[in-house]
Amino acid sequence: MSDSILSFVEVNPSQPHSAVVIWLHGLGDSGNGFAPIVPELKMPESLPVRFVFPHAPVRPITVNNNMEMRAWYDITSMDFNHRADRVGVEESAKQVEQLIDTEIANGTPAERIVLAGFSQGGVIALHLGTRINKKIAGIMALSTYMCEPETLTSEASNVNKETPILVAHGQQDNVVPVFMGNAAFKVLEENGYPVTWQDYPMQHSVCLEEINHISAWLQARFS
């Protein structure tokens, strides 16, 4: 599966782009789910950013009675410590890295690429962003958690140790409890990353305040 190229939805600015955001959706969603957020970010015209929203592969999900849906990895247990299937996480991380490589080959340097993800997509963004051997502009982890946080110290690449990371979460999240997002933030902080924590009075979703914050954070990364 990891050899197949991910299909995606793209939202391009009206002029040639100078930066790229690769944004990964959550379980059961698709690249179409977050594409409508782009106009709401109100990115300035002076900063033309291309947004790429890949579709996760369709796979059976153990905890959902093996129902097939778009997912970056299987969820075999609701146990917080073993929720993410490591093999699936690594497969998806490889596929997303191929997308990054394609953007680089098409003329956008890695330093102008932000890796973002919501929920399951955020797990991949954190996993890949801390291990990839290319210096990227930033990592955005929304309403998510970390796969096997205890492995970060030994597996992290030094390349992105100075890369800003935004970890944001809803205080009333009943899908991924806020403590899981905060635990990921703390692990990143303990490992010396320049990481920011933000929470909002919302559930497992995105709110206007968060969208405004994301826009400001992206503009700071790309300015």
Side-chain angles (χ1 to χ4, degrees), residues 44-223:
E45 278 187 31
S46 58
L47 190 61
V49 179
R50 164 177 163 81
F51 286 83
V52 176
F53 300 95
H55 304 297
V58 174
R59 68 182 82 218
I61 300 300
T62 305
V63 296
N64 290 350
N65 296 323
N66 288 319
M67 201 162 97
E68 295 211 338
M69 57 183 68
R70 290 198 181 278
W72 297 108
Y73 51 85
D74 189 17
I75 299 176
T76 53
S77 154
M78 293 312 284
D79 171 16
F80 293 137
N81 297 318
H82 303 99
R83 191 177 277 197
D85 157 45
R86 175 72 189 238
V87 173
V89 167
E90 289 181 353
E91 270 181 10
S92 287
K94 279 199 190 91
Q95 289 180 296
V96 174
E97 187 168 3
Q98 286 176 336
L99 289 182
I100 294 173
D101 289 343
T102 300
E103 296 299 325
I104 294 169
N106 290 338
T108 304
E111 295 91 346
R112 302 286 294 164
I113 298 174
V114 159
L115 186 55
F118 176 83
S119 198
Q120 262 207 354
V123 172
I124 305 302
L126 283 176
H127 188 84
L128 176 59
T130 51
R131 289 163 177 81
I132 196 170
N133 282 314
K134 301 170 186 79
K135 170 80 174 145
I136 56 175
I139 303 164
M140 198 164 73
L142 312 175
S143 305
T144 190
Y145 57 102
M146 193 179 282
C147 172
E148 299 184 359
E150 68 282 357
T151 63
L152 178 64
T153 307
S154 60
E155 293 178 4
S157 154
N158 287 325
V159 177
N160 285 300
K161 274 291 171 76
E162 304 299 317
T163 299
I165 304 177
L166 173 63
V167 181
H169 219 101
Q171 294 154 3
Q172 286 99 44
D173 194 328
N174 56 3
V175 177
V176 179
V178 66
F179 78 81
M180 290 178 71
N182 195 253
F185 162 74
K186 284 178 176 151
V187 169
L188 291 162
E189 199 175 45
E190 285 158 10
N191 279 273
Y193 289 91
V195 58
T196 310
W197 169 259
Q198 201 74 37
D199 55 22
Y200 306 92
M202 64 177 186
Q203 295 183 339
H204 195 62
S205 58
V206 179
C207 64
L208 184 59
E209 185 190 357
E210 183 179 32
I211 289 170
N212 293 338
H213 187 208
I214 287 168
S215 177
W217 188 85
L218 286 174
Q219 288 177 56
R221 302 291 70 78
F222 292 142
S223 62

